[in-house]
Amino acid sequence: MTPDELRLAYLDFMESKKHAIVPSSSIVPENDPTTLFTGSGMQPMITYLLGETHPEGTRIANSQRCFRSQDIEEVGDNRHTTYFEMLGNWSFGDYFKKEQLSWFFEFLTKKVGLDPEKLFVTVFRGNDKLGIGKDTESVKIWQELFAEVGCTVEDVDFSERDGMGDGRIFYYDETKNWWSRAGVPNNMPAGEPGGPDSEMFYDFGAERQLHENSEFAKLPCHVNCDCGRFLEIGNSVFMQYLKQADGSFTELPQQNVDFGGGLVRIAAAQNNDPDVFVTSFFTPIIAKLESITGKKYGESEEVKYAFRVIADHVCAAVMLASDGVFPSNKEQGYFSRRLLRRSIRYIHTIGYDEPFLAELVDVVAEIYGKAYPSILNGLPQIKASFTAEEKKFQKALAKGLRHFTDLKVIDGESAFALYETYGFPFELTQELAVERGITLKQADFDAARDAHAAKSRQGSAGKFKGGLQDTSEIATKYHTATHLLHAALRKLLGTGVQQKGSNITAERLRFDFSFERVLTAEEQKTVLNQILEWIDKELPVTKQTMEKEAAIKSGAIAFFSQKYPDQVSVYTIGLDPESDWISKELCGGPHVQNTKEIGKLTILKEQAVAAGVRRMYLQLV
Ligand code: SER
């Protein structure tokens, strides 16, 4: 099946089981300050799992685009990717184990056409301390399902020493068969939902000797072994528990199902080939890489590895861009930059240094454009942005690598120099260092960067001494004006408007924020008048220090991508910081004490910076 066919087969199947099919949410979470990227299909569903009513009903399904940045260095083997699509279906207090396990089994064996003999499952062993028992209910359901298609159905309490025996159903503890956003029960914060799960594995066969040829060969192989013989293709989570403050678990108001299945992994199972990069999700990209570079995918381990990294990373970067994330030095943009620069570096390792990204973007658009039209709509912009990034980095890369080779000492200082001069993301230098057997610590890089920043601050402080005495005063006014602008935009355009960046000089303030379209002249006027009105009202600006949690509870705006200490300062603009305010933000300051100090302001410009991001310039007059 093609990617579109397989995705549709699942969605059609779930529709036939009375599910409402909803679109994939953005890969950049819209209202979830806990994470930079959507990493699983359930993330956008969390409120419904906790009991809120979903507008489309109690049975929902979709294919969710996900990005897991933490897997970036794992990419290169036959199955890891940073970008993936997760097939998902949810029961919000509707059906439970019996329906879920039967439907998934039916989908795999009847619609995808997998041989049931090659399917193996795991269930939760139970844990007395948690007061949650062995999931014998799921075992019984699985036994019946497998028996119906004539498969043997031994259940085995798995042990590392004894291996799998003749089992098909295995009990594992909470490190394997429990799912929550925070992982195992002990790691879950109070208020987090979770539950036991049942995972499905596809067996690529003992005859490939994947286990014998791996570093795990000393112990018996089993379904959760990392040798690659078995691939997890789906996970049915029975989300029925809520963690309490005292560490115990109570039942959620409803029994939920949260199912997630790897679209590409199911394609690999359908192919009966453990290499996900030879599925139709990747073959057109690999073919393009072959024609561009003149190398063959299988010709050497080096080429294979490079092609896999590039294929995954370019896909991921295109998906991020289609949701408005372009290469930059900050937040999500930094990951886009890392993906692209890593791709450029890997194509360099196989001796290719010409531009190639735009051509690959076209291929990714062919694979995913129909399902995700925002890729097609943004195509010229995506290609232009990637090509600009490529131009910048390709030139610097060879020089930087030469510089790296000549280095006598590889430490925080030299990593920072590579970053400053050649644009090497720290992680790239770290990877290069590992190849030379050296461990580089982020803290050393940070220290070098901070020392450099302190030096340049001293430099500029010296430069401006005397002459620009009042620069800081102006900056302070602009700083408070930035908060007013943010508040005015959110008041007029809704709280979907979020700050994406800001920059202040002695001449103006610049403010980036999320918004889909150009602001009309009328809207700009309303925003400005609102700010001027607040200035005229002579509103006091109050600084409070409080616990981060309390600050957020009190309505203060925080930037999810930023790390805050436990104690934060909050600046509130308004007559009463508790009950009568127009702006409240977590912020380091400094600010004016009263809005009247700002004086008059005007809007210089409003423009686009990236898809879904606008920029405004304001000036004191
Ligand atoms: N949330 C579960 C997972 O990510 C199932 O959807 O595996």
Side-chain angles (χ1 to χ4, degrees), residues 319-349:
M319 286 299 172
L320 292 178
S322 74
D323 277 343
V325 177
F326 287 88
S328 78
N329 267 347
K330 279 200 220 108
E331 299 155 13
Q332 284 98 340
Y334 184 69
F335 289 92
S336 167
R337 171 157 285 167
R338 242 185 106 189
L339 290 165
L340 295 178
R341 293 193 174 185
R342 226 171 165 257
S343 302
I344 295 163
R345 190 230 154 183
Y346 271 97
I347 207 158
H348 174 85
T349 64

mmCIF file of all heavy atoms in Angstrom, residues 319-349:
data_model
loop_
_atom_site.group_PDB
_atom_site.id
_atom_site.type_symbol
_atom_site.label_atom_id
_atom_site.label_comp_id
_atom_site.label_asym_id
_atom_site.label_seq_id
_atom_site.Cartn_x
_atom_site.Cartn_y
_atom_site.Cartn_z
ATOM 1 N N MET A 319 7.705 18.742 7.617
ATOM 2 C CA MET A 319 6.495 18.713 8.438
ATOM 3 C C MET A 319 6.477 19.875 9.425
ATOM 4 O O MET A 319 5.446 20.512 9.625
ATOM 5 C CB MET A 319 6.420 17.397 9.222
ATOM 6 C CG MET A 319 6.060 16.231 8.363
ATOM 7 S SD MET A 319 4.431 16.475 7.599
ATOM 8 C CE MET A 319 4.409 15.093 6.489
ATOM 9 N N LEU A 320 7.623 20.143 10.042
ATOM 10 C CA LEU A 320 7.690 21.270 10.980
ATOM 11 C C LEU A 320 7.393 22.569 10.242
ATOM 12 O O LEU A 320 6.613 23.407 10.707
ATOM 13 C CB LEU A 320 9.077 21.347 11.632
ATOM 14 C CG LEU A 320 9.443 20.214 12.590
ATOM 15 C CD1 LEU A 320 10.862 20.402 13.131
ATOM 16 C CD2 LEU A 320 8.475 20.149 13.756
ATOM 17 N N ALA A 321 7.987 22.718 9.055
ATOM 18 C CA ALA A 321 7.781 23.954 8.295
ATOM 19 C C ALA A 321 6.311 24.111 7.902
ATOM 20 O O ALA A 321 5.775 25.221 7.907
ATOM 21 C CB ALA A 321 8.676 23.967 7.059
ATOM 22 N N SER A 322 5.660 22.993 7.582
ATOM 23 C CA SER A 322 4.263 23.101 7.163
ATOM 24 C C SER A 322 3.388 23.567 8.331
ATOM 25 O O SER A 322 2.272 24.018 8.136
ATOM 26 C CB SER A 322 3.754 21.771 6.606
ATOM 27 O OG SER A 322 3.530 20.852 7.652
ATOM 28 N N ASP A 323 3.920 23.487 9.545
ATOM 29 C CA ASP A 323 3.204 24.042 10.698
ATOM 30 C C ASP A 323 3.872 25.313 11.218
ATOM 31 O O ASP A 323 3.695 25.694 12.376
ATOM 32 C CB ASP A 323 3.091 23.001 11.819
ATOM 33 C CG ASP A 323 1.913 22.064 11.580
ATOM 34 O OD1 ASP A 323 1.038 22.416 10.764
ATOM 35 O OD2 ASP A 323 1.864 20.987 12.185
ATOM 36 N N GLY A 324 4.683 25.931 10.373
ATOM 37 C CA GLY A 324 5.210 27.254 10.703
ATOM 38 C C GLY A 324 6.554 27.286 11.397
ATOM 39 O O GLY A 324 6.991 28.340 11.834
ATOM 40 N N VAL A 325 7.228 26.136 11.498
ATOM 41 C CA VAL A 325 8.540 26.139 12.166
ATOM 42 C C VAL A 325 9.659 26.111 11.125
ATOM 43 O O VAL A 325 9.814 25.128 10.396
ATOM 44 C CB VAL A 325 8.694 24.923 13.101
ATOM 45 C CG1 VAL A 325 10.083 24.889 13.724
ATOM 46 C CG2 VAL A 325 7.631 24.956 14.186
ATOM 47 N N PHE A 326 10.426 27.181 11.064
ATOM 48 C CA PHE A 326 11.530 27.283 10.112
ATOM 49 C C PHE A 326 12.856 27.359 10.869
ATOM 50 O O PHE A 326 12.857 27.687 12.055
ATOM 51 C CB PHE A 326 11.338 28.534 9.249
ATOM 52 C CG PHE A 326 10.223 28.359 8.259
ATOM 53 C CD1 PHE A 326 8.913 28.665 8.598
ATOM 54 C CD2 PHE A 326 10.476 27.834 7.000
ATOM 55 C CE1 PHE A 326 7.875 28.469 7.688
ATOM 56 C CE2 PHE A 326 9.450 27.638 6.088
ATOM 57 C CZ PHE A 326 8.144 27.958 6.430
ATOM 58 N N PRO A 327 13.963 27.067 10.145
ATOM 59 C CA PRO A 327 15.253 27.077 10.860
ATOM 60 C C PRO A 327 15.547 28.418 11.519
ATOM 61 O O PRO A 327 15.387 29.463 10.891
ATOM 62 C CB PRO A 327 16.274 26.778 9.748
ATOM 63 C CG PRO A 327 15.536 26.801 8.459
ATOM 64 C CD PRO A 327 14.087 26.666 8.752
ATOM 65 N N SER A 328 15.927 28.361 12.780
ATOM 66 C CA SER A 328 16.333 29.570 13.494
ATOM 67 C C SER A 328 17.169 29.115 14.681
ATOM 68 O O SER A 328 17.467 27.934 14.819
ATOM 69 C CB SER A 328 15.113 30.345 13.988
ATOM 70 O OG SER A 328 14.589 29.732 15.156
ATOM 71 N N ASN A 329 17.522 30.069 15.535
ATOM 72 C CA ASN A 329 18.343 29.702 16.686
ATOM 73 C C ASN A 329 17.533 29.430 17.927
ATOM 74 O O ASN A 329 18.070 29.154 18.987
ATOM 75 C CB ASN A 329 19.334 30.826 16.985
ATOM 76 C CG ASN A 329 20.632 30.559 16.269
ATOM 77 O OD1 ASN A 329 20.846 29.447 15.782
ATOM 78 N ND2 ASN A 329 21.477 31.558 16.180
ATOM 79 N N LYS A 330 16.208 29.568 17.801
ATOM 80 C CA LYS A 330 15.407 29.532 19.014
ATOM 81 C C LYS A 330 14.333 28.475 18.995
ATOM 82 O O LYS A 330 13.745 28.182 17.974
ATOM 83 C CB LYS A 330 14.737 30.891 19.187
ATOM 84 C CG LYS A 330 15.673 31.908 19.793
ATOM 85 C CD LYS A 330 14.889 33.060 20.392
ATOM 86 C CE LYS A 330 15.574 34.374 20.125
ATOM 87 N NZ LYS A 330 14.940 35.216 19.181
ATOM 88 N N GLU A 331 14.063 27.946 20.166
ATOM 89 C CA GLU A 331 12.915 27.084 20.401
ATOM 90 C C GLU A 331 12.785 26.017 19.319
ATOM 91 O O GLU A 331 13.736 25.386 18.948
ATOM 92 C CB GLU A 331 11.649 27.942 20.492
ATOM 93 C CG GLU A 331 11.743 28.929 21.641
ATOM 94 C CD GLU A 331 10.866 30.150 21.435
ATOM 95 O OE1 GLU A 331 10.011 30.139 20.557
ATOM 96 O OE2 GLU A 331 11.062 31.120 22.186
ATOM 97 N N GLN A 332 11.575 25.848 18.804
ATOM 98 C CA GLN A 332 11.348 24.797 17.812
ATOM 99 C C GLN A 332 12.236 24.989 16.583
ATOM 100 O O GLN A 332 12.681 24.028 15.975
ATOM 101 C CB GLN A 332 9.886 24.776 17.363
ATOM 102 C CG GLN A 332 8.948 24.159 18.382
ATOM 103 C CD GLN A 332 8.247 25.201 19.211
ATOM 104 O OE1 GLN A 332 8.694 26.340 19.305
ATOM 105 N NE2 GLN A 332 7.146 24.808 19.842
ATOM 106 N N GLY A 333 12.460 26.256 16.212
ATOM 107 C CA GLY A 333 13.260 26.549 15.020
ATOM 108 C C GLY A 333 14.652 25.954 15.099
ATOM 109 O O GLY A 333 15.257 25.592 14.086
ATOM 110 N N TYR A 334 15.158 25.844 16.309
ATOM 111 C CA TYR A 334 16.495 25.289 16.486
ATOM 112 C C TYR A 334 16.537 23.827 16.039
ATOM 113 O O TYR A 334 17.528 23.365 15.485
ATOM 114 C CB TYR A 334 16.916 25.410 17.962
ATOM 115 C CG TYR A 334 18.331 24.947 18.206
ATOM 116 C CD1 TYR A 334 19.408 25.676 17.715
ATOM 117 C CD2 TYR A 334 18.585 23.776 18.903
ATOM 118 C CE1 TYR A 334 20.708 25.247 17.919
ATOM 119 C CE2 TYR A 334 19.884 23.337 19.118
ATOM 120 C CZ TYR A 334 20.944 24.076 18.626
ATOM 121 O OH TYR A 334 22.224 23.656 18.830
ATOM 122 N N PHE A 335 15.445 23.113 16.266
ATOM 123 C CA PHE A 335 15.394 21.705 15.853
ATOM 124 C C PHE A 335 15.348 21.591 14.341
ATOM 125 O O PHE A 335 15.954 20.706 13.756
ATOM 126 C CB PHE A 335 14.210 20.994 16.504
ATOM 127 C CG PHE A 335 14.423 20.791 17.961
ATOM 128 C CD1 PHE A 335 13.973 21.725 18.882
ATOM 129 C CD2 PHE A 335 15.144 19.702 18.421
ATOM 130 C CE1 PHE A 335 14.208 21.560 20.235
ATOM 131 C CE2 PHE A 335 15.393 19.528 19.774
ATOM 132 C CZ PHE A 335 14.915 20.461 20.681
ATOM 133 N N SER A 336 14.613 22.502 13.710
ATOM 134 C CA SER A 336 14.586 22.513 12.255
ATOM 135 C C SER A 336 16.004 22.729 11.717
ATOM 136 O O SER A 336 16.482 22.020 10.832
ATOM 137 C CB SER A 336 13.648 23.628 11.769
ATOM 138 O OG SER A 336 13.835 23.855 10.407
ATOM 139 N N ARG A 337 16.691 23.701 12.306
ATOM 140 C CA ARG A 337 18.073 23.982 11.901
ATOM 141 C C ARG A 337 18.963 22.760 12.105
ATOM 142 O O ARG A 337 19.749 22.384 11.239
ATOM 143 C CB ARG A 337 18.589 25.173 12.704
ATOM 144 C CG ARG A 337 20.055 25.425 12.540
ATOM 145 C CD ARG A 337 20.419 26.844 12.863
ATOM 146 N NE ARG A 337 20.014 27.737 11.781
ATOM 147 C CZ ARG A 337 19.980 29.055 11.868
ATOM 148 N NH1 ARG A 337 20.316 29.642 12.991
ATOM 149 N NH2 ARG A 337 19.609 29.780 10.838
ATOM 150 N N ARG A 338 18.820 22.137 13.243
ATOM 151 C CA ARG A 338 19.647 20.951 13.532
ATOM 152 C C ARG A 338 19.394 19.849 12.522
ATOM 153 O O ARG A 338 20.314 19.192 12.047
ATOM 154 C CB ARG A 338 19.307 20.427 14.929
ATOM 155 C CG ARG A 338 20.478 20.474 15.867
ATOM 156 C CD ARG A 338 20.101 19.843 17.173
ATOM 157 N NE ARG A 338 20.728 18.545 17.297
ATOM 158 C CZ ARG A 338 20.427 17.687 18.268
ATOM 159 N NH1 ARG A 338 19.515 17.994 19.162
ATOM 160 N NH2 ARG A 338 21.053 16.527 18.329
ATOM 161 N N LEU A 339 18.125 19.620 12.186
ATOM 162 C CA LEU A 339 17.778 18.571 11.227
ATOM 163 C C LEU A 339 18.426 18.859 9.877
ATOM 164 O O LEU A 339 19.012 17.972 9.252
ATOM 165 C CB LEU A 339 16.251 18.500 11.049
ATOM 166 C CG LEU A 339 15.439 17.962 12.229
ATOM 167 C CD1 LEU A 339 13.954 18.295 12.061
ATOM 168 C CD2 LEU A 339 15.624 16.450 12.377
ATOM 169 N N LEU A 340 18.322 20.113 9.432
ATOM 170 C CA LEU A 340 18.851 20.440 8.106
ATOM 171 C C LEU A 340 20.378 20.403 8.104
ATOM 172 O O LEU A 340 20.996 19.860 7.193
ATOM 173 C CB LEU A 340 18.338 21.811 7.661
ATOM 174 C CG LEU A 340 16.819 21.875 7.453
ATOM 175 C CD1 LEU A 340 16.385 23.289 7.065
ATOM 176 C CD2 LEU A 340 16.357 20.885 6.376
ATOM 177 N N ARG A 341 20.983 20.960 9.135
ATOM 178 C CA ARG A 341 22.454 20.980 9.162
ATOM 179 C C ARG A 341 23.023 19.568 9.310
ATOM 180 O O ARG A 341 24.060 19.251 8.754
ATOM 181 C CB ARG A 341 22.945 21.921 10.274
ATOM 182 C CG ARG A 341 22.575 23.353 9.943
ATOM 183 C CD ARG A 341 23.255 24.394 10.773
ATOM 184 N NE ARG A 341 22.895 25.699 10.220
ATOM 185 C CZ ARG A 341 23.375 26.848 10.620
ATOM 186 N NH1 ARG A 341 24.243 26.901 11.586
ATOM 187 N NH2 ARG A 341 22.996 27.975 10.042
ATOM 188 N N ARG A 342 22.300 18.755 10.051
ATOM 189 C CA ARG A 342 22.728 17.360 10.188
ATOM 190 C C ARG A 342 22.639 16.663 8.832
ATOM 191 O O ARG A 342 23.504 15.880 8.466
ATOM 192 C CB ARG A 342 21.819 16.667 11.194
ATOM 193 C CG ARG A 342 22.577 15.851 12.201
ATOM 194 C CD ARG A 342 21.705 15.349 13.308
ATOM 195 N NE ARG A 342 22.427 14.299 14.001
ATOM 196 C CZ ARG A 342 22.182 13.013 13.838
ATOM 197 N NH1 ARG A 342 21.219 12.624 13.044
ATOM 198 N NH2 ARG A 342 22.903 12.116 14.480
ATOM 199 N N SER A 343 21.577 16.938 8.078
ATOM 200 C CA SER A 343 21.432 16.338 6.745
ATOM 201 C C SER A 343 22.579 16.769 5.842
ATOM 202 O O SER A 343 23.146 15.964 5.101
ATOM 203 C CB SER A 343 20.117 16.777 6.091
ATOM 204 O OG SER A 343 19.031 16.427 6.889
ATOM 205 N N ILE A 344 22.905 18.053 5.909
ATOM 206 C CA ILE A 344 23.986 18.581 5.065
ATOM 207 C C ILE A 344 25.315 17.933 5.440
ATOM 208 O O ILE A 344 26.120 17.569 4.595
ATOM 209 C CB ILE A 344 24.049 20.124 5.194
ATOM 210 C CG1 ILE A 344 22.759 20.730 4.626
ATOM 211 C CG2 ILE A 344 25.282 20.681 4.503
ATOM 212 C CD1 ILE A 344 22.491 22.160 5.036
ATOM 213 N N ARG A 345 25.498 17.751 6.724
ATOM 214 C CA ARG A 345 26.730 17.109 7.166
ATOM 215 C C ARG A 345 26.791 15.650 6.699
ATOM 216 O O ARG A 345 27.827 15.183 6.242
ATOM 217 C CB ARG A 345 26.834 17.182 8.689
ATOM 218 C CG ARG A 345 28.198 16.757 9.172
ATOM 219 C CD ARG A 345 28.102 15.743 10.253
ATOM 220 N NE ARG A 345 29.304 14.933 10.283
ATOM 221 C CZ ARG A 345 29.451 13.926 11.118
ATOM 222 N NH1 ARG A 345 28.500 13.629 11.968
ATOM 223 N NH2 ARG A 345 30.537 13.210 11.083
ATOM 224 N N TYR A 346 25.657 14.947 6.780
ATOM 225 C CA TYR A 346 25.682 13.535 6.387
ATOM 226 C C TYR A 346 25.871 13.344 4.893
ATOM 227 O O TYR A 346 26.526 12.393 4.462
ATOM 228 C CB TYR A 346 24.461 12.786 6.937
ATOM 229 C CG TYR A 346 24.767 12.252 8.301
ATOM 230 C CD1 TYR A 346 24.383 12.942 9.438
ATOM 231 C CD2 TYR A 346 25.538 11.098 8.448
ATOM 232 C CE1 TYR A 346 24.732 12.483 10.702
ATOM 233 C CE2 TYR A 346 25.882 10.636 9.703
ATOM 234 C CZ TYR A 346 25.483 11.327 10.822
ATOM 235 O OH TYR A 346 25.844 10.874 12.059
ATOM 236 N N ILE A 347 25.326 14.259 4.084
ATOM 237 C CA ILE A 347 25.544 14.093 2.645
ATOM 238 C C ILE A 347 27.012 14.414 2.323
ATOM 239 O O ILE A 347 27.613 13.823 1.428
ATOM 240 C CB ILE A 347 24.530 14.911 1.800
ATOM 241 C CG1 ILE A 347 24.340 14.237 0.440
ATOM 242 C CG2 ILE A 347 24.942 16.359 1.653
ATOM 243 C CD1 ILE A 347 23.053 14.587 -0.264
ATOM 244 N N HIS A 348 27.589 15.295 3.143
ATOM 245 C CA HIS A 348 29.018 15.598 3.000
ATOM 246 C C HIS A 348 29.868 14.358 3.311
ATOM 247 O O HIS A 348 30.873 14.114 2.639
ATOM 248 C CB HIS A 348 29.373 16.756 3.938
ATOM 249 C CG HIS A 348 30.835 17.085 3.992
ATOM 250 N ND1 HIS A 348 31.432 17.922 3.085
ATOM 251 C CD2 HIS A 348 31.812 16.656 4.839
ATOM 252 C CE1 HIS A 348 32.727 18.004 3.375
ATOM 253 N NE2 HIS A 348 32.977 17.248 4.431
ATOM 254 N N THR A 349 29.444 13.564 4.296
ATOM 255 C CA THR A 349 30.251 12.381 4.653
ATOM 256 C C THR A 349 30.352 11.391 3.501
ATOM 257 O O THR A 349 31.257 10.581 3.458
ATOM 258 C CB THR A 349 29.692 11.599 5.875
ATOM 259 O OG1 THR A 349 28.396 11.083 5.528
ATOM 260 C CG2 THR A 349 29.605 12.437 7.122
#
